Amino acid sequence: MKALAKTLREELGKQFVLDSPEELAVYDCDACTLIKKGPELVALPKTPEEVATVVNACNRAGVAYTARGAGTGLSGGALPLEGGVLIGLNRMNQILEIDAGNRTATVEVGVINASLNQQLKPYHLFYAPDPSSMAACTIGGNIAENAGGIHCIQYGVTTDHVLALQLVLPNGELTWVGSKNKKSNGPNLTGLIVGSEGTLGVITQAIVGLLPVPPKIKVYLAAFAEERHAGAAVSAIIKSGLKAVAVEFLDAFTLNAVNEAFNVGFPHDAQAVLLIELAGADWEVENDEARLRTILEEQQMTQLRVGETEAERLALWKSRKGTVAAYGRYMPAFYLHDCVIPRSQLVPVLEKIRNVAKDYDVLIGNVFHAGDGNLHPHIFFDPADKAMLQRALNAGEVILRHCLSIGGTLSGEHGIGIEKSHFMKLQFTEESLEKMHQLKSVFDPEHRCNPLKILPVRAGCAETRQGHTPQLLAQDGLWI
């Protein structure tokens, strides 16, 4: 590692290669604080060519490497489980081109999601994927995890907006996949790379599609006296075919937490709130609003507030995206799943989550993308209380297994990473997992590119050459 550090300092500059304990400590976890594993070295390249230089140097040294954006990931996907080199991409933060005529933007992967949208305002365009961490997360991290966000019910997830990618392949080659004009032929390699969590290469630039800002946008806050009425309203909205751009769910605990933290004026007597956005031409929004009011009244809505101005809309969405900060007033940490379930199952699954909270004596807050059934149960714990942590882990597994049993999936937008890799066998057959392993080996035969992520570790697999497994990286043996 000393020789590798010397080589990289010569290539990148002394200040852009970090190896002191104090510097490395910054990178020992992402937003999934359950698992911690730091790198032996951090390299901070500025250009795609410098990324290729780092990858080639790692290959010559036989060292594993992991790409990292802002560290906001929730599944441990950016942790260097085999040590080695962490490639920090934050310096690659330039918007290279905004092509308003073709509605595309070419960006480096370190561009902050919200910064891109800020720069697009004069063009009356926007980039649709908007995870709750958009003020901090990077486009590259969004691509790696196939992030969604509040508006994914209408606009889809990241893969629906990525046209082409530049990446450094595990053999060190810098190349492009996809096409700016969407007319590339052959297999959809861009779609393969999006959501692969940095295991098939290191993305350096992206060409993303943009959308025009709708002429009219309204956000509605609908309060309900019972969770089941809010869940039924979600199903009714989806069944009606109403073109809602967003449908978000907040439970009573979350409402109180956000009220206490930010004084946003959520109804104090509500057991659940839906935040619903409609967008389109003036006449479309007016027609949809009439239908929406009818649906909400039929499902026993108790209060309706409308955000029409940009300031009013932003205030409502800010309260939604500030829930994690508000949760911090109650407990220092949480364990979070993002399983996706059939929307018709929202009401019984919420009841199941309440029962799990009682059975395992844990506090759970629910705020999630109800429109596409993407749950976000936050299971709170104090890291200093090992028994509480164990209860939180057990409660999370019960919830996840139940979601899978009713036709759900492991993750909607947070990725598998290391946090859920041991659950992959619950969703996929051994044959399917073997094909995934084979695909990984086609791109990365030496298993140096972000190893030990997504797929369960196989006995005798080359990925275990240094003796690390997800289970051994647990804190005090609590990670199962």
Side-chain angles (χ1 to χ4, degrees):
M1 294 305 299
K2 289 183 178 179
L4 180 57
K6 181 176 183 295
T7 297
L8 293 178
R9 285 192 173 101
E10 292 172 353
E11 297 287 347
L12 307 183
K14 182 178 180 180
Q15 68 270 41
F16 301 121
V17 179
L18 314 177
D19 60 0
S20 72
E22 295 82 6
E23 292 168 326
L24 298 179
V26 177
Y27 299 93
D28 71 354
C29 71
D30 60 11
C32 177
T33 57
L34 282 165
I35 313 168
K36 295 188 177 183
K37 175 65 178 179
E40 298 170 86
L41 198 69
V42 173
L44 302 172
K46 178 62 176 173
T47 67
E49 291 74 18
E50 287 187 350
V51 174
T53 295
V54 176
V55 170
N56 280 311
C58 290
N59 284 337
R60 290 193 298 271
V63 171
Y65 54 90
T66 297
R68 179 183 174 111
T72 60
L74 288 155
S75 61
L79 299 192
L81 295 186
E82 289 198 353
V85 176
L86 189 144
I87 305 175
L89 301 169
N90 309 75
R91 295 178 65 216
M92 301 177 62
N93 58 4
Q94 299 301 304
I95 298 173
L96 303 174
E97 180 190 44
I98 295 176
D99 183 348
N102 289 306
R103 296 207 322 237
T104 67
T106 303
V107 301
E108 294 182 326
V109 290
V111 170
I112 301 297
N113 182 300
S115 297
L116 174 59
N117 274 310
Q118 186 66 31
Q119 295 301 313
L120 291 171
K121 281 188 174 182
Y123 303 92
H124 302 288
L125 298 171
F126 72 104
Y127 176 62
D130 61 341
S132 294
S133 58
M134 66 183 297
C137 64
T138 63
I139 297 295
N142 296 167
I143 292 170
E145 305 300 327
N146 194 21
I150 287 172
H151 294 90
C152 59
I153 178 178
Q154 176 65 30
Y155 299 127
V157 291
T158 297
T159 191
D160 300 303
H161 302 275
V162 176
L163 305 177
L165 294 170
Q166 184 191 58
L167 72 158
V168 178
L169 295 170
N171 66 2
E173 177 186 351
L174 181 63
T175 189
W176 279 91
V177 296
S179 169
K180 182 176 180 179
N181 60 19
K182 286 189 174 182
K183 293 184 179 179
S184 58
N185 299 311
N188 181 10
L189 296 178
T190 307
L192 178 63
I193 300 299
V194 176
S196 62
E197 303 187 33
T199 63
L200 305 181
V202 180
I203 304 167
T204 52
Q205 294 181 13
I207 301 176
V208 298
L210 310 174
L211 296 174
V213 175
K216 185 75 171 181
I217 304 173
K218 282 189 177 183
V219 179
Y220 304 82
L221 186 158
F224 297 85
E226 296 184 34
E227 276 191 356
R228 62 189 180 92
H229 294 153
V234 173
S235 296
I237 290 169
I238 301 304
K239 182 180 179 181
S240 73
L242 188 71
K243 196 175 71 172
V245 177
V247 182
E248 296 290 297
F249 183 105
L250 295 83
D251 68 3
F253 172 78
T254 303
L255 295 174
N256 290 331
V258 174
N259 268 339
E260 291 178 10
F262 306 117
N263 192 29
V264 298
F266 280 146
H268 289 283
D269 57 347
Q271 290 301 301
V273 153
L274 296 181
L275 290 175
I276 306 159
E277 182 171 299
L278 300 178
D282 287 0
W283 65 269
E284 287 180 299
V285 174
E286 288 178 6
N287 289 343
D288 287 346
E289 178 177 324
R291 295 172 60 198
L292 176 63
R293 286 177 179 270
T294 298
I295 291 171
L296 296 176
E297 289 167 359
E298 289 175 348
Q299 302 303 327
Q300 302 183 46
M301 169 190 66
T302 59
Q303 182 178 335
L304 184 66
R305 187 190 308 169
V306 184
E308 297 196 51
T309 69
E310 183 178 15
E312 291 170 340
R313 298 196 307 269
L314 290 177
L316 288 172
W317 286 131
K318 184 178 180 180
S319 66
R320 159 63 178 91
K321 294 189 175 185
T323 52
V324 170
Y327 285 156
R329 298 165 63 92
Y330 292 86
M331 202 72 73
F334 58 79
Y335 179 39
L336 173 62
H337 280 305
D338 74 314
C339 37
V340 182
I341 62 169
R343 288 164 293 202
S344 60
Q345 295 295 314
L346 279 177
V347 173
V349 169
L350 288 172
E351 178 66 26
K352 175 70 175 180
I353 291 174
R354 282 197 300 273
N355 290 334
V356 169
K358 293 177 184 177
D359 293 342
Y360 289 89
D361 190 24
V362 290
L363 187 62
I364 300 179
N366 289 291
V367 53
F368 57 90
H369 311 315
D372 61 343
N374 190 184
L375 296 178
H376 289 349
H378 294 70
I379 310 168
F380 303 104
F381 67 91
D382 182 349
D385 187 334
K386 301 304 181 183
M388 183 185 294
L389 171 56
Q390 184 64 68
R391 295 199 307 274
L393 291 171
N394 292 341
E397 180 169 347
V398 171
I399 292 170
L400 188 147
R401 286 178 177 271
H402 179 73
C403 290
L404 291 177
S405 73
I406 60 171
T409 59
L410 283 173
S411 175
E413 58 182 348
H414 295 168
I416 301 299
I418 189 61
E419 179 253 332
K420 289 187 282 289
S421 62
H422 55 297
F423 289 128
M424 287 285 278
K425 293 181 179 180
L426 300 180
Q427 182 174 340
F428 297 99
T429 66
E430 290 290 343
E431 181 181 11
S432 293
L433 292 172
E434 178 59 29
K435 296 300 182 185
M436 296 180 198
H437 277 289
Q438 291 174 9
L439 178 62
K440 162 73 170 171
S441 295
V442 169
F443 278 79
D444 182 24
E446 299 299 324
H447 293 277
R448 294 195 186 107
C449 185
N450 202 16
L452 299 173
K453 304 295 168 54
I454 304 178
L455 300 173
V457 175
R458 299 177 297 177
C461 177
E463 293 185 9
T464 64
R465 62 185 178 278
Q466 294 189 22
H468 295 306
T469 69
Q471 290 78 12
L472 294 179
L473 294 170
Q475 296 179 359
D476 298 330
L478 291 173
W479 194 258
I480 301 171

